[in-house]
Amino acid sequence: MKKISILGSTGSIGTQTLDIVAHAPELFKVVGLSAGSNVDLLIEQARQFKPAIVCLGSKELADAARLHVPSGTRVVYGEEGLIETASHTDADIVVTAIVGSRGLPATLAAINAGKTIGLANKETLVTAGHLVMERAKQRGVAILPIDSEHSAIFQCLNGEKRESIKQITLTASGGSFRDRTREQLEGVTVSEALNHPNWSMGAKITIDSATMVNKGLEVIEAKWLFGVSYDQIDVIIHPESIIHSYVEFSDHSVIAQMGLPDMRVPIQYALTYPDRVATPTNRLNLAEIGKLHFREMDFVRFPLLRLAFDSGRLGGSAPAVFNAANEIAVARFLNGEVNFLDIERIVESTVSRHDVTEINDLQTIAEVDSWARRFAATV
């Protein structure tokens, strides 16, 4: 039985992880849960799974939850509480499903504690890829990707030599507006942007899918996870989201991982690796689907994907600035403060105004992140 802590248990990845646990209680035990502000759902989860510790975003929320969780569950809060939940002594694997850069300190704490990481937080590697991977190597900690694309590549590389990789290709659904021209994006609404054709995801990630920032973050993440150069990473639009990503090797053989678009498959693979067990998901029937379609990526149509590649190649603080600016821009769009296309303008303006610096510690990341957020909030 594997003991699990879930950071971000009330979000899309967190709730689907708990769905897997509920379907296989003989395989998994939840020992830690964390949420930002969704106190009601966290209480419900705590009552069902009876973890040793739960964490909320503030003292007020923690005080409210303390009255309703099981008697054996300790309630903590804030960044310190999140770090404690991540490094809980009983956890074998920590699923990091917090959206945004808030997940970085807790992920590093879990690595320091020797926990296997089920990584669903892109920003951890985007902002501090070299620090995280170096720390994981030092501690002998496995980082198992949960994103469907990175899980696909991880599976394609099983038993293969990394030096045989010629190219990694991430597939992209194209998001909510994949069939619209740039002119047709003028004045699109939040509800339209949140209407993803294939995946059920949180609001921020769904908007990132529409701008292709999500894929840009995945490109940077893939560079660190698989030790390849940016020249070895490509992105292709695949509307059906059946092929989750593929790898071409030096002999031009291509290995792809396929399945219906259901995040429970890559989540469970990370939880059970290196084993595979039955999942509460549907089987893929290619005859029923009939056809799969692919399009070359249009970097003019999706300029933020190109900017993600550029930021990754610049290295240092550039990816952290790209990520922080995007978080603010998306929040401003979701709040009705700016238009959809303003997301691009805000991110591009912030990145262009930044002088790239070297990143050697969390303090520098925090300072760069703070500057980018302040600038993006006013531009």
Side-chain angles (χ1 to χ4, degrees):
M1 178 177 286
K2 284 190 179 178
K3 296 177 180 178
I4 306 168
S5 280
I6 305 171
L7 309 184
S9 65
T10 59
S12 176
I13 296 294
T15 54
Q16 290 179 88
T17 302
L18 289 173
D19 183 56
I20 290 166
V21 171
H23 277 85
E26 73 283 2
L27 297 179
F28 310 112
K29 176 174 175 55
V30 176
V31 296
L33 297 172
S34 85
S37 59
N38 195 341
V39 63
D40 292 336
L41 181 53
L42 186 69
I43 290 169
E44 185 181 318
Q45 292 174 344
R47 286 174 170 172
Q48 181 177 358
F49 296 98
K50 298 176 175 57
I53 187 171
V54 298
C55 177
L56 280 151
S58 69
K59 183 180 185 301
E60 293 73 24
L61 291 171
D63 289 342
R66 199 169 281 115
L67 301 172
H68 303 285
V69 299
S71 58
T73 298
R74 195 157 64 87
V75 182
V76 295
Y77 63 91
E79 185 172 311
E80 287 186 9
L82 194 61
I83 288 171
E84 187 176 353
T85 305
S87 55
H88 192 282
T89 53
D90 285 347
D92 301 309
I93 181 169
V94 176
V95 175
T96 61
I98 297 172
V99 176
S101 56
R102 292 180 301 111
L104 176 57
T107 302
L108 284 172
I111 292 172
N112 286 336
K115 312 299 182 187
T116 296
I117 304 298
L119 188 67
N121 173 269
K122 296 178 179 62
E123 294 80 4
T124 290
L125 292 185
V126 169
T127 59
H130 63 301
L131 297 178
V132 172
M133 297 307 290
E134 185 179 326
R135 189 79 57 85
K137 185 178 180 181
Q138 290 170 350
R139 296 288 295 145
V141 165
I143 296 184
L144 305 176
I146 282 178
D147 271 346
S148 61
E149 295 82 0
H150 299 105
S151 176
I153 294 165
F154 182 74
Q155 293 177 61
C156 291
L157 290 176
N158 276 344
E160 302 289 343
K161 295 179 179 178
R162 296 301 168 95
E163 56 267 28
S164 298
I165 299 171
K166 183 177 180 63
Q167 187 172 66
I168 283 170
T169 299
L170 303 174
T171 55
S173 68
S176 312
F177 304 133
R178 64 190 175 202
D179 297 318
R180 297 200 192 191
T181 65
R182 291 190 62 77
E183 291 72 26
Q184 292 171 330
L185 295 176
E186 295 284 351
V188 296
T189 65
V190 170
S191 60
E192 286 177 304
L194 291 176
N195 186 26
H196 195 285
N198 298 352
W199 296 95
S200 174
M201 305 181 291
K204 196 265 183 182
I205 297 176
T206 305
I207 301 301
D208 283 350
S209 178
T211 62
M212 209 61 73
V213 164
N214 200 43
K215 207 55 51 179
L217 298 177
E218 289 173 7
V219 165
I220 299 171
E221 191 180 3
K223 182 259 187 299
W224 294 112
L225 277 172
F226 306 113
V228 295
S229 72
Y230 287 104
D231 291 338
Q232 291 176 283
I233 304 173
D234 194 16
V235 179
I236 191 170
I237 291 182
H238 170 41
E240 292 86 2
S241 297
I242 296 298
I243 294 179
H244 299 303
S245 280
Y246 56 91
V247 180
E248 180 185 359
F249 295 92
S250 52
D251 62 354
H252 296 164
S253 294
V254 175
I255 297 180
Q257 189 266 335
M258 305 171 69
L260 293 174
D262 190 324
M263 281 303 301
R264 290 175 297 177
V265 175
I267 293 169
Q268 181 171 290
Y269 187 67
L271 295 182
T272 62
Y273 178 80
D275 299 320
R276 294 183 186 271
V277 300
T279 65
T281 62
N282 295 320
R283 295 179 65 193
L284 171 65
N285 185 331
L286 285 175
E288 189 175 280
I289 291 170
K291 293 180 181 179
L292 299 178
H293 300 85
F294 306 91
R295 308 179 207 161
E296 280 193 19
M297 180 53 63
D298 184 346
F299 290 97
V300 175
R301 169 65 179 77
F302 296 105
L304 289 184
L305 178 56
R306 170 61 67 195
L307 186 58
F309 269 99
D310 292 343
S311 298
R313 287 190 170 98
L314 280 172
S317 56
V321 169
F322 175 84
N323 174 69
N326 178 68
E327 286 188 22
I328 295 299
V330 170
R332 291 177 69 184
F333 170 66
L334 290 172
N335 290 335
E337 216 181 299
V338 299
N339 293 320
F340 180 76
L341 289 176
D342 286 327
I343 295 173
E344 296 172 359
R345 176 186 59 79
I346 292 167
V347 177
E348 289 169 347
S349 297
T350 308
V351 171
S352 67
R353 283 291 296 273
H354 175 65
D355 294 324
V356 178
T357 58
E358 204 172 322
I359 295 287
N360 291 313
D361 51 53
L362 292 184
Q363 180 60 34
T364 306
I365 294 173
E367 290 169 359
V368 166
D369 183 272
S370 180
W371 174 85
R373 290 173 189 277
R374 290 195 306 272
F375 187 90
T378 57
V379 69

Coordinates of all heavy atoms in Angstrom, one line a residue, residues 72-110:
G72 N -8.6 12.6 14.4 CA -7.2 12.3 14.3 C -6.5 13.1 13.3 O -5.3 12.8 13.0
T73 N -7.2 14.0 12.6 CA -6.6 14.8 11.6 C -6.1 16.2 12.1 O -6.9 16.9 12.7 CB -7.6 15.1 10.4 OG1 -7.9 13.8 9.9 CG2 -7.0 15.9 9.3
R74 N -4.8 16.5 11.9 CA -4.3 17.8 12.3 C -4.4 18.8 11.2 O -4.2 18.5 10.0 CB -2.8 17.6 12.7 CG -2.2 18.8 13.5 CD -1.0 18.3 14.2 NE 0.1 17.9 13.3 CZ 1.0 18.7 12.8 NH1 1.0 20.0 13.1 NH2 2.0 18.3 12.0
V75 N -4.8 20.0 11.6 CA -5.0 21.1 10.6 C -3.9 22.1 10.7 O -3.6 22.7 11.8 CB -6.4 21.7 10.8 CG1 -6.6 22.8 9.7 CG2 -7.5 20.7 10.8
V76 N -3.2 22.4 9.6 CA -2.2 23.4 9.5 C -2.5 24.4 8.4 O -3.5 24.2 7.7 CB -0.8 22.8 9.3 CG1 -0.4 21.9 10.4 CG2 -0.8 22.0 8.0
Y77 N -1.7 25.5 8.2 CA -2.1 26.5 7.2 C -0.8 27.2 6.7 O 0.2 27.1 7.3 CB -3.1 27.5 7.8 CG -2.5 28.3 8.9 CD1 -1.9 29.5 8.7 CD2 -2.7 27.8 10.2 CE1 -1.4 30.3 9.8 CE2 -2.2 28.6 11.3 CZ -1.5 29.8 11.1 OH -1.0 30.5 12.1
G78 N -1.0 27.9 5.6 CA 0.0 28.7 5.0 C 1.2 27.9 4.4 O 1.1 26.7 4.3
E79 N 2.2 28.6 4.0 CA 3.4 28.0 3.4 C 4.0 27.0 4.3 O 4.4 25.9 3.8 CB 4.4 29.0 2.9 CG 5.5 28.4 2.1 CD 6.4 29.4 1.4 OE1 5.9 30.3 0.8 OE2 7.6 29.3 1.6
E80 N 4.2 27.3 5.6 CA 4.8 26.4 6.5 C 4.0 25.1 6.6 O 4.5 24.0 6.7 CB 4.9 27.0 7.9 CG 6.0 28.1 7.9 CD 6.3 28.6 9.4 OE1 5.7 28.0 10.3 OE2 7.0 29.6 9.5
G81 N 2.7 25.2 6.7 CA 1.8 24.1 6.7 C 1.9 23.2 5.5 O 1.9 22.0 5.5
L82 N 2.0 23.9 4.3 CA 2.1 23.2 3.0 C 3.4 22.4 3.0 O 3.4 21.2 2.6 CB 2.1 24.2 1.9 CG 1.9 23.7 0.5 CD1 0.5 23.0 0.4 CD2 1.9 24.8 -0.5
I83 N 4.5 23.0 3.5 CA 5.8 22.3 3.5 C 5.7 21.1 4.4 O 6.2 20.0 4.1 CB 6.9 23.3 3.9 CG1 7.2 24.3 2.8 CG2 8.1 22.5 4.3 CD1 8.1 25.4 3.2
E84 N 5.0 21.3 5.6 CA 4.9 20.1 6.5 C 4.0 19.0 5.9 O 4.4 17.8 6.1 CB 4.2 20.6 7.8 CG 4.2 19.6 8.9 CD 3.6 20.1 10.2 OE1 3.3 21.3 10.3 OE2 3.4 19.3 11.1
T85 N 3.0 19.4 5.2 CA 2.1 18.4 4.5 C 2.9 17.6 3.5 O 2.8 16.4 3.3 CB 0.9 19.0 3.9 OG1 0.2 19.8 4.9 CG2 0.0 18.0 3.3
A86 N 3.8 18.4 2.7 CA 4.6 17.8 1.7 C 5.7 16.8 2.2 O 6.0 15.8 1.6 CB 5.3 18.9 0.8
S87 N 6.2 17.1 3.4 CA 7.3 16.4 3.9 C 6.9 15.4 5.0 O 7.7 14.9 5.8 CB 8.4 17.3 4.4 OG 7.9 18.2 5.4
H88 N 5.6 15.2 5.1 CA 5.0 14.3 6.2 C 5.7 13.0 6.2 O 5.9 12.4 5.1 CB 3.5 14.1 5.9 CG 2.8 13.5 7.1 ND1 2.9 12.1 7.3 CD2 2.0 14.0 8.0 CE1 2.2 11.8 8.4 NE2 1.6 13.0 8.8
T89 N 6.1 12.5 7.3 CA 7.0 11.4 7.4 C 6.4 10.1 6.9 O 7.1 9.2 6.5 CB 7.4 11.1 8.9 OG1 6.2 11.1 9.7 CG2 8.3 12.2 9.4
D90 N 5.0 10.0 6.9 CA 4.4 8.7 6.4 C 4.2 8.7 4.9 O 3.9 7.6 4.4 CB 3.0 8.6 7.1 CG 3.1 8.2 8.5 OD1 4.3 7.8 8.9 OD2 2.1 8.3 9.3
A91 N 4.3 9.8 4.2 CA 4.0 9.8 2.7 C 5.2 9.1 1.9 O 6.3 9.4 2.1 CB 3.8 11.2 2.3
D92 N 4.8 8.2 1.0 CA 5.7 7.6 0.1 C 5.8 8.5 -1.1 O 6.9 8.6 -1.7 CB 5.2 6.2 -0.3 CG 5.1 5.3 0.8 OD1 6.0 5.2 1.6 OD2 4.0 4.6 1.0
I93 N 4.7 9.0 -1.6 CA 4.7 9.8 -2.8 C 3.9 11.1 -2.5 O 2.8 11.1 -1.9 CB 4.1 9.0 -4.0 CG1 4.1 9.9 -5.3 CG2 2.7 8.5 -3.7 CD1 3.8 9.1 -6.5
V94 N 4.4 12.2 -3.0 CA 3.7 13.5 -2.9 C 3.2 13.9 -4.3 O 4.1 14.1 -5.2 CB 4.6 14.6 -2.3 CG1 3.9 15.9 -2.2 CG2 5.0 14.1 -0.9
V95 N 1.9 14.1 -4.5 CA 1.4 14.6 -5.7 C 1.3 16.1 -5.6 O 0.5 16.6 -4.8 CB 0.0 14.0 -6.0 CG1 -0.7 14.6 -7.2 CG2 0.1 12.5 -6.1
T96 N 2.1 16.8 -6.5 CA 2.1 18.2 -6.4 C 1.2 18.8 -7.5 O 1.5 18.8 -8.7 CB 3.5 18.8 -6.6 OG1 4.0 18.4 -7.9 CG2 4.4 18.2 -5.5
A97 N -0.1 19.1 -7.1 CA -1.1 19.5 -8.1 C -1.5 21.0 -7.8 O -2.6 21.4 -8.3 CB -2.3 18.6 -8.0
I98 N -0.7 21.7 -7.1 CA -1.0 23.1 -6.9 C -0.8 23.9 -8.2 O 0.3 23.7 -8.9 CB -0.2 23.8 -5.8 CG1 -0.5 23.1 -4.5 CG2 -0.4 25.3 -5.7 CD1 0.4 23.5 -3.4
V99 N -1.7 24.7 -8.7 CA -1.5 25.5 -9.9 C -0.6 26.8 -9.5 O -0.9 27.5 -8.5 CB -2.8 26.0 -10.5 CG1 -2.6 26.9 -11.7 CG2 -3.6 24.7 -10.9
G100 N 0.4 27.0 -10.3 CA 1.2 28.2 -10.1 C 2.5 27.9 -9.4 O 2.8 26.8 -8.9
S101 N 3.3 29.0 -9.1 CA 4.6 28.9 -8.6 C 4.6 28.6 -7.1 O 5.6 28.4 -6.5 CB 5.4 30.2 -8.9 OG 4.7 31.3 -8.4
R102 N 3.4 28.7 -6.4 CA 3.4 28.4 -5.0 C 3.8 27.0 -4.6 O 4.1 26.7 -3.5 CB 1.9 28.6 -4.5 CG 1.4 30.1 -4.5 CD 0.0 30.2 -4.0 NE -0.9 29.4 -4.7 CZ -1.5 28.3 -4.3 NH1 -1.3 27.9 -3.0 NH2 -2.4 27.6 -5.0
G103 N 3.8 26.1 -5.6 CA 4.1 24.7 -5.3 C 5.6 24.4 -5.2 O 6.0 23.3 -4.7
L104 N 6.5 25.4 -5.5 CA 7.9 25.1 -5.6 C 8.5 24.8 -4.2 O 9.2 23.8 -4.1 CB 8.6 26.3 -6.3 CG 10.2 26.2 -6.3 CD1 10.6 24.9 -7.0 CD2 10.7 27.4 -7.0
P105 N 8.4 25.7 -3.2 CA 9.0 25.4 -1.9 C 8.6 24.0 -1.3 O 9.4 23.3 -0.8 CB 8.6 26.5 -1.0 CG 8.3 27.7 -1.9 CD 7.7 27.0 -3.2
A106 N 7.3 23.7 -1.4 CA 6.8 22.5 -0.9 C 7.3 21.3 -1.6 O 7.6 20.2 -1.0 CB 5.3 22.5 -0.9
T107 N 7.5 21.4 -3.0 CA 8.0 20.3 -3.8 C 9.5 20.1 -3.4 O 9.9 18.9 -3.2 CB 7.9 20.6 -5.3 OG1 6.6 20.9 -5.6 CG2 8.5 19.5 -6.1
L108 N 10.2 21.1 -3.2 CA 11.6 21.0 -2.7 C 11.7 20.3 -1.3 O 12.6 19.5 -1.1 CB 12.3 22.3 -2.8 CG 12.7 22.8 -4.2 CD1 13.3 24.3 -4.1 CD2 13.8 21.9 -4.8
A109 N 10.8 20.7 -0.5 CA 10.8 20.1 0.9 C 10.5 18.6 0.8 O 11.1 17.8 1.5 CB 9.7 20.8 1.7
A110 N 9.6 18.2 -0.1 CA 9.3 16.8 -0.3 C 10.5 16.1 -0.8 O 10.8 14.9 -0.4 CB 8.1 16.6 -1.2

